Each structure stands twice: as structure tokens, then as C-alpha cells.
Amino acid sequence: SANEFVRRKAHDDANMVGMGTTVVAATYKEDILYVANVGDSRCYVITEEGLCQITTDHNVAALLYEQGKISEDELVNHPQKNMLLRAVGVDKTVQVDTFILDYDDKISLLLCSDGLSGYSSNEEIFEIIIDTPFETVANELVKLAYSKGGRDNITVALITD
């Protein structure tokens, strides 16, 4: 329904022609985490060692990396890393990736747009998460992305169980 809503809005409003968006969502019940994404918005599990990316980016550069055509180093600054293969509202239907994880204890998550992950390394993001009081982590992550040249929308949500 979100796909159809965005698609209809882009069709009905001349100022929004070609509009689409990415999405990442997470919820949990008891000991099961459910995650979904379209595009290059990401979900990470925050561990004691660092960030563990759960979602897959749906862009040309990630596809080339997955196919072994470019290296991990090339992936970071590839000219097609912002060229989406999937987005909400662009086509009549959209394929959503879903992930189901079992966990035993508490779980902490970072959900973010490529406005954060595209301008900041996992190590930089993790350092702020562990060194900053929870109440201000999201704001500090947004500041980090801006300080690194972030010009895309920067969306951040942290979830702790």
C-alpha cells in the first residue's frame, strides 16, 4: 500500500514526477526480529564488536560487488552507488527483502538512510554510538554525516530492547 501511495502521489502531482523512496523497518516480538528493506536504507545490529549489517543495498554498485565485478574498496566510492535498482513508488510492484533473526537476550539496532551510511564508515558510526549518551546519539550521527559532506537526507533511528 505504501508503494501504491507514493506511486499515485508521483503520478498526480507534476512536482513529484519520478519520485520514489527507500525504506527500512524493524520490529520484534519475543525473541524474533523482523526486518524489511527496499533501496539502500539499512539496518544494523549493534554488537560489542561493532556494526553488523542485516539488510542488502539495492543499488548498482552493490550488485556489481555481489557479482564479483568490483572490490569492496571500489564499492565505497563507486559512481553508481546511488543508482537504485529498487525503490518504493517507482514501479507498480516492489520487491521487499525480509529478514528474520532469532536472538536470545537484548538487541540494539541502528536503522538509517544512505545519508548516514554513504558518508560515514561503520567504524565512525560505532565509535559515536558507544561514546555518546543514548539520548543524543541520533543527533551526533547526523552531525557526523554533515561533517563528512552529507548532502542527502540523513535519517537515523536507534532501537534498544
Side-chain angles (χ1 to χ4, degrees), residues 21-24 40-44 110-119 125 137-139 141-143 145-146 151-158:
T21 190
T22 66
V23 67
V24 63
D40 54 6
S41 289
R42 295 179 176 178
C43 176
Y44 297 92
L110 168 65
L111 281 66
C112 65
S113 66
D114 68 321
L116 175 65
S117 61
Y119 291 93
I125 294 169
V137 171
N139 286 337
L141 290 172
V142 171
K143 287 180 190 176
Y146 278 129
R151 61 190 191 299
D152 201 351
N153 63 58
I154 304 166
T155 305
V156 175
L158 288 124

Side-chain angles (χ1 to χ4, degrees), residues 38-108:
V38 176
D40 54 6
S41 289
R42 295 179 176 178
C43 176
Y44 297 92
V45 171
I46 305 166
T47 70
E48 291 180 8
E49 292 82 35
L51 300 178
C52 177
Q53 185 176 340
I54 301 302
T55 53
T56 303
D57 292 345
H58 303 132
N59 61 42
V60 173
L63 179 63
L64 293 172
Y65 173 72
E66 184 180 301
Q67 293 173 339
K69 294 180 179 176
I70 63 173
S71 69
E72 189 171 352
D73 289 338
E74 291 172 303
L75 175 65
V76 174
N77 294 313
H78 196 277
Q80 293 178 311
K81 77 175 191 173
N82 293 322
M83 186 178 289
L84 295 176
L85 298 171
R86 288 191 230 165
V88 174
V90 175
D91 295 317
K92 191 170 188 168
T93 61
V94 64
Q95 181 181 348
V96 178
D97 283 356
T98 55
F99 307 87
I100 301 172
L101 290 91
D102 294 323
Y103 67 97
D104 295 329
D105 200 8
K106 294 186 176 209
I107 192 165
S108 296

